[in-house]
Amino acid sequence: MSINLVAKLGIQIVASSVTMTLGMLCENCKVIGVEIPQHEEPVTEKITQNTPADIEEKEADIEIDVIEKLLNEPVFSPFRQEGTVKDSTRPIYVITGEEMEAQGARTIREALKFLPGILGDGTVGTEVNALSGQLIRGSNTGQVLILLDGRPINNAGSGGFDLSEFTTNNIQRIEVLPGGGSTLYGSDAIGGVINIITRRPTEKITTEAKVNFGAYGLNQQSIQNSGKKGDISWVVGYNRTQAENNYPFSIPEANFTGTRKNNDALYNNFNVKLEADLGKRNTLSFSTLYLNKEQGTPGGVPIPFPVNGQGFFNSLTDKNRKYTDQVLTDLTWNSKLGSGDDSLLTARVYGDLLNTRFDPSGSSRFKTNQTAYGIQTTHSWNFAKNQSLVYGFDYRTVNVRNTSFSYATNVERLNYDNDINQGALFGKYEVALIPKLTINLGLRQDFSSLVNGSVTSPSVGTKFAVSDSTTLRANYIKNFRVPAIANLFNVNPSNIGNPELKPERGDSFDIGIDQKLGNIGLVRLTFFKNSVSDTIAFKRLTPPVNGNTGTWENIGLVETTGIEASLNLQLAKNIYTFVNYTANDPRILKSSNAAEIDKELRFAGADKLNLGVSYENPQGLYLGLLMNSLNGYPTNNTNTEFLSGYTTFDFKLRVPLNDKLVVTGSLENLFNQRYQLFPGFPDGGRGFQVGLSSTF
C-alpha cells in the first residue's frame, strides 16, 4: 500500500467521521483494545443446559460487548481518582499490559505505537533503545507530562522523559490524555498527559517467567512474583533486555550504505511494590523502580545537502556511550473516611534520583544528576448523589546538577547546579445537573520559586447524553510549562541560560462525539484546537555577546487544529477490526523569524493512520495484522526540508500451548519499508520476535 493511497484513505475516513481506534474485544481478551485471557483465572458463563448444541451456542455469547469493554476501561488521569472512560468528558486512550504483551512491545515507547492522539514513534530510530519523543496536539516532548502512578517524573533539567527507559514487564496499563492537564497536575501538561500505571499485587501467589529472542541480537528475560499473605501483598520483578541492533541500512541522500555500529543496549530493571492492609479502611503501599541502561549512541549519517540543514552536522560514532541509572520511589497511604465508600483521602511522599552520563568518543564526559522530592495529598469526595469534589495540595522540589569533564585538560566544568520548588492548591467539582448532563469546573494555583513561575490554571468540561447511543462532550483547559533548569541557569557560553524566561502557556479546546453502532462497535470523534504561547526557543547570538554564542528566549505562538478519530468494530464471531486517525496542523502564528510565520511546526504535524484486523477465541489464540502509517512532515520550521512518510505492517501471534505455557510471535515491518525518523538516522527494517511465557 503506497503512502498516497494511505493518506487518501485517511482523508476519506475523516470526511465521513468514521475514523477509528484499535479494538478487538472478546471476553477476557485484549490486543490493542482487546484483553487476552488469563489462563490461571478463566472466566466462563453459567450454562443451564448440558447438550453439546447448547454449549456451542453459549460459546458464541462468551465474547464481551465491544462497546461496554471500551467504555468501562478503568482510568485515573482525567479525574485524579479512579473512574472509567465513559465517565470522562475528555477523550482518553488506554493500552493494557495484556495488549503490550500481544504486540511484543518491549518498552513504553513501542507500546504507544497504535494509540490515537499521539505521535510516539521517536525521533532517532526504531530499535528498543531509540530515544522516545512524544508529540501530542502540536506540542513537543518537553510539553507532555509523564506521570508514574499519578505523580510527575519529568526531567526538570532538560524537560521530558525518555519512555524507552521503561520496559513493559511491570506495567498494568498506560493512559494517554490529549489536550493538557495543568488543572490537576501542574507544569509540563501543555499538549497532554501520559500516565504509567504499574502492576498491583495478585490475590494468589503467582510467578510469571518470560524469555524472548529476536532479530539483531534481541535477548530478553523477565520474572515477576506476586501474591498476598495475610495483610501483606507484593509484586517483585526483574527484566533484562539486551540487543545489538547491528542492522544493514542505506541513506540515499548521502549515497551511504553500511551496517549500524555502536548501537547495542543492555537493560537491567528491577521493581518492588509492597502493600499492607491497615484494617478495612486503610492501606499503605511502598513502590520502587530501578531503571538501568547502558547503550551505544551511533549518531547519524551526515547529509551534504542542504548545507547547514537538519542532517548536515551529523556524524557516525564508534565509541559514544550513554549510561542511565534511575530510582523512582514513593510511599502512599489511602484512607476511606466516614463509614461508606464515598470519601477517600490519599497522601503520598516520593523521591527520585535520575542520573545520566554521556561519554562522547572518550574525549570528554557529561553528567547530569537530578534529585526530586515531592508530596501529594488528594481528597476525593462524593458528597451528594449527583456531586463530587476532588481537591488537594502538591509540592515538588528538584535539584539538577550538570557538569562536563575534559580528559585532555583533566578539568571539570560546572554548567549548572540549581533548584526549582513548586507548590499548588487545586480542586475540581463535578455535578450532574440532570441525569444526562454533567459539568465539571476545575482550578489550580501554582506557586514557584521562579520569578515568573506562579500560574493559575482553570478548566471546564461537559458531556451530554443525547440518547442511549450518542454522547456529546466539550472541554477547555488552560495549561503551562515552567522553563527547564538548563534554559534558566546554564553557564556554558554556547548555551547560556536566561533567568528571566516566562512559563510557556497553552489553551486547549476540544469538542467530540461518542457514537455506539448497535451492539457491535463504537465511534469516537474529537475536534481540537491547541495553542502554545511564550514558546521557549534557542537564539543564536551573532556576533557573540560577552563571549556567549547562544541563549534562550520566549518567542512565538503555535496554534494546532486537528482531529482524533477512532472506531472499534466486531465484524463476526471472534473477528475484530479497528481504525484510528490523528490529524495535526500546527501553524506558527508568531515568531522572531519572519520566514517561519504561517509555516507548519517541524515534526509535530504528521498525520497518523492505524488499522488492523484480528482473530481471537476464548481459549487465547490470537492472530493480528496491524498497520501504522505516517504521512510526510517538515524537519525545519521554514518548511524547506521534509522527510517522507512511511507505512509498516506487523503480524502478531499468540498461541496457548496449555494453561501454563504461551508462545508469542511477531513479524515487524513485514514488507521491509525503509525510512528515516530524523534526517540521517535509519530505521531497523524488518524484524521478528519469538517468546515463551510460563505462569506457575
Side-chain angles (χ1 to χ4, degrees):
M1 183 181 295
S2 69
I3 282 291
N4 289 336
L5 180 59
V6 171
K8 290 179 181 178
L9 176 59
I11 293 171
Q12 292 170 357
I13 292 172
V14 173
S16 62
S17 298
V18 187
T19 322
M20 322 167 193
T21 198
L22 167 81
M24 326 150 211
L25 300 170
C26 62
E27 173 153 28
N28 286 336
C29 303
K30 263 185 148 181
V31 177
I32 312 178
V34 185
E35 281 191 275
I36 294 174
Q38 301 301 305
H39 292 282
E40 70 277 13
E41 295 177 316
V43 178
T44 58
E45 293 191 356
K46 182 178 179 181
I47 299 176
T48 55
Q49 302 293 330
N50 294 319
T51 67
D54 287 328
I55 292 174
E56 182 177 347
E57 180 180 353
K58 282 295 180 181
E59 286 179 349
D61 297 331
I62 284 179
E63 298 160 301
I64 262 187
D65 184 275
V66 171
I67 299 170
E68 293 304 314
K69 187 59 193 171
L70 287 172
L71 293 180
N72 287 305
E73 190 73 60
V75 290
F76 180 91
S77 307
F79 319 105
R80 198 152 164 170
Q81 62 175 329
E82 292 298 331
T84 65
V85 169
K86 69 181 178 183
D87 298 326
S88 176
T89 64
R90 304 273 304 278
I92 184 167
Y93 310 106
V94 180
I95 181 169
T96 68
E98 293 89 350
E99 296 171 343
M100 297 176 218
E101 180 186 39
Q103 290 179 26
R106 298 164 294 187
T107 66
I108 289 179
R109 181 186 71 84
E110 295 179 341
L112 300 174
K113 181 176 181 179
F114 295 104
L115 290 183
I118 179 172
L119 305 178
D121 279 357
T123 54
V124 293
T126 57
E127 45 276 306
V128 64
N129 54 297
L131 178 67
S132 177
Q134 296 75 239
L135 307 177
I136 301 179
R137 295 189 179 181
S139 62
N140 60 43
T141 297
Q143 296 165 338
V144 175
L145 177 63
I146 308 300
L147 303 175
L148 178 64
D149 290 324
R151 54 88 164 188
I153 59 172
N154 278 39
N155 188 321
S158 57
F161 193 97
D162 183 4
L163 293 181
S164 72
E165 300 284 335
F166 281 94
T167 51
T168 56
N169 56 293
N170 183 45
I171 307 304
Q172 181 173 316
R173 69 177 187 267
I174 306 169
E175 304 168 359
V176 176
L177 181 67
S182 288
T183 301
L184 289 179
Y185 299 108
S187 177
D188 300 338
I190 284 183
V193 175
I194 299 175
N195 191 17
I196 303 163
I197 307 296
T198 56
R199 283 191 179 193
R200 294 287 308 278
T202 55
E203 290 293 323
K204 293 169 35 179
I205 297 178
T206 303
T207 300
E208 298 178 13
K210 300 179 182 179
V211 293
N212 194 34
F213 300 93
Y216 308 121
L218 175 67
N219 181 359
Q220 287 183 296
Q221 305 88 36
S222 67
I223 187 167
Q224 295 277 341
N225 180 265
S226 178
K228 184 174 183 179
K229 280 288 188 180
D231 294 330
I232 305 296
S233 53
W234 67 89
V235 180
V236 180
Y238 166 69
N239 174 278
R240 180 186 182 276
T241 299
Q242 186 174 24
E244 294 300 322
N245 299 315
N246 52 349
Y247 50 81
F249 74 101
S250 62
I251 303 294
E253 299 89 337
N255 194 28
F256 178 92
T257 299
T259 299
R260 205 69 163 133
K261 298 178 181 179
N262 189 40
N263 198 27
D264 60 297
L266 175 62
Y267 293 73
N268 283 284
N269 291 354
F270 296 85
N271 60 277
V272 175
K273 179 175 288 187
L274 304 174
E275 294 187 357
D277 294 331
L278 309 178
K280 295 183 178 180
R281 305 191 63 78
N282 293 273
T283 61
L284 185 67
S285 65
F286 169 82
S287 176
T288 188
L289 294 177
Y290 173 65
L291 310 178
N292 173 274
K293 182 170 67 169
E294 175 187 349
Q295 65 183 94
T297 55
V301 176
I303 307 296
F305 183 82
V307 176
N308 298 328
Q310 292 296 299
F312 184 80
F313 298 101
N314 290 345
S315 63
L316 293 174
T317 63
D318 292 333
K319 298 180 181 179
N320 289 8
R321 307 294 294 177
K322 181 182 178 182
Y323 307 86
T324 56
D325 283 286
Q326 310 192 61
V327 181
L328 309 168
T329 302
D330 66 66
L331 181 67
T332 303
W333 171 55
N334 288 295
S335 179
K336 294 182 179 180
L337 305 181
S339 57
D341 294 326
D342 55 4
S343 180
L344 177 66
L345 177 65
T346 300
R348 167 185 281 156
V349 294
Y350 60 88
D352 301 331
L353 302 175
L354 280 62
N355 302 313
T356 302
R357 192 181 94 214
F358 179 58
D359 293 348
S361 303
S363 62
S364 56
R365 181 184 68 224
F366 299 90
K367 293 178 64 176
T368 302
N369 304 105
Q370 172 174 308
T371 304
Y373 301 101
I375 300 171
Q376 286 184 334
T377 60
T378 305
H379 183 207
S380 305
W381 186 21
N382 298 322
F383 60 90
K385 185 177 181 180
N386 66 332
Q387 299 178 73
S388 64
L389 181 65
V390 176
Y391 64 95
F393 169 75
D394 289 341
Y395 177 77
R396 189 185 190 210
T397 178
V398 182
N399 172 267
V400 185
R401 175 183 172 87
N402 178 271
T403 61
S404 54
F405 178 81
S406 171
Y407 289 103
T409 62
N410 203 34
V411 173
E412 183 175 79
R413 177 190 182 93
L414 178 64
N415 296 316
Y416 51 86
D417 185 358
N418 297 90
D419 304 292
I420 291 180
N421 302 306
Q422 293 175 275
L425 297 170
F426 68 90
K428 187 174 182 180
Y429 166 72
E430 184 167 295
V431 57
L433 297 177
I434 58 175
K436 294 186 176 182
L437 176 62
T438 300
I439 294 177
N440 61 67
L441 302 170
L443 185 66
R444 182 185 182 99
Q445 180 61 54
D446 276 85
F447 308 93
S448 176
S449 60
L450 301 179
V451 173
N452 300 308
S454 297
V455 179
T456 303
S457 306
S459 68
V460 59
T462 184
K463 64 184 178 73
F464 177 62
V466 178
S467 66
D468 291 340
S469 60
T470 305
T471 300
L472 303 177
R473 44 187 166 75
N475 300 275
Y476 165 75
I477 311 100
K478 194 169 188 65
N479 307 291
F480 76 98
R481 174 180 179 253
V482 299
I485 288 179
N487 304 147
L488 293 163
F489 305 120
N490 198 353
V491 297
N492 190 315
S494 65
N495 190 358
I496 195 75
N498 178 4
E500 300 302 319
L501 287 174
K502 297 181 292 184
E504 297 177 330
R505 299 176 185 271
D507 292 281
S508 180
F509 302 86
D510 65 61
I511 183 169
I513 182 172
D514 298 342
Q515 179 64 53
K516 298 178 182 178
L517 304 177
N519 294 321
I520 63 170
L522 177 69
V523 174
R524 307 194 77 199
L525 182 65
T526 303
F527 296 88
F528 66 83
K529 181 178 180 180
N530 210 55
S531 64
V532 182
S533 59
D534 291 325
T535 304
I536 297 171
F538 182 72
K539 178 182 180 181
R540 191 173 302 280
L541 299 176
T542 307
V545 177
N546 297 324
N548 299 320
T549 58
T551 188
W552 300 88
E553 63 179 357
N554 290 104
I555 60 173
L557 170 65
V558 176
E559 185 174 271
T560 305
T561 56
I563 66 166
E564 297 156 1
S566 65
L567 169 74
N568 297 73
L569 193 65
Q570 180 176 344
L571 299 178
K573 177 186 176 183
N574 298 330
I575 300 178
Y576 308 89
T577 188
F578 78 90
V579 181
N580 64 59
Y581 184 73
T582 302
N584 295 283
D585 185 18
R587 292 289 159 178
I588 302 171
L589 303 185
K590 296 180 182 178
S591 174
S592 60
N593 183 355
E596 296 179 354
I597 295 177
D598 293 328
K599 296 297 194 297
E600 182 179 298
L601 186 68
R602 65 178 191 151
F603 296 107
D607 296 342
K608 174 182 174 180
L609 173 66
N610 294 327
L611 62 86
V613 62
S614 69
Y615 172 86
E616 300 183 62
N617 66 23
Q619 289 72 43
L621 176 64
Y622 166 75
L623 299 92
L625 182 63
L626 312 176
M627 187 197 82
N628 179 52
S629 179
L630 262 69
N631 70 343
Y633 50 88
T635 61
N636 64 0
N637 288 339
T638 55
N639 294 181
T640 58
E641 299 178 51
F642 289 82
L643 280 178
S644 300
Y646 60 88
T647 301
T648 60
F649 292 84
D650 297 348
F651 175 73
K652 311 293 184 180
L653 174 70
R654 184 181 194 273
V655 181
L657 301 180
N658 54 43
D659 289 344
K660 303 298 183 182
L661 291 174
V662 175
V663 172
T664 56
S666 176
L667 283 173
E668 298 99 10
N669 197 353
L670 282 171
F671 303 110
N672 202 31
Q673 168 80 67
R674 304 312 298 262
Y675 54 93
Q676 300 169 54
L677 291 167
F678 187 88
F681 286 78
D683 75 293
R686 185 187 295 115
F688 72 90
Q689 296 182 56
V690 177
L692 177 67
S693 62
S694 175
T695 303
F696 52 92

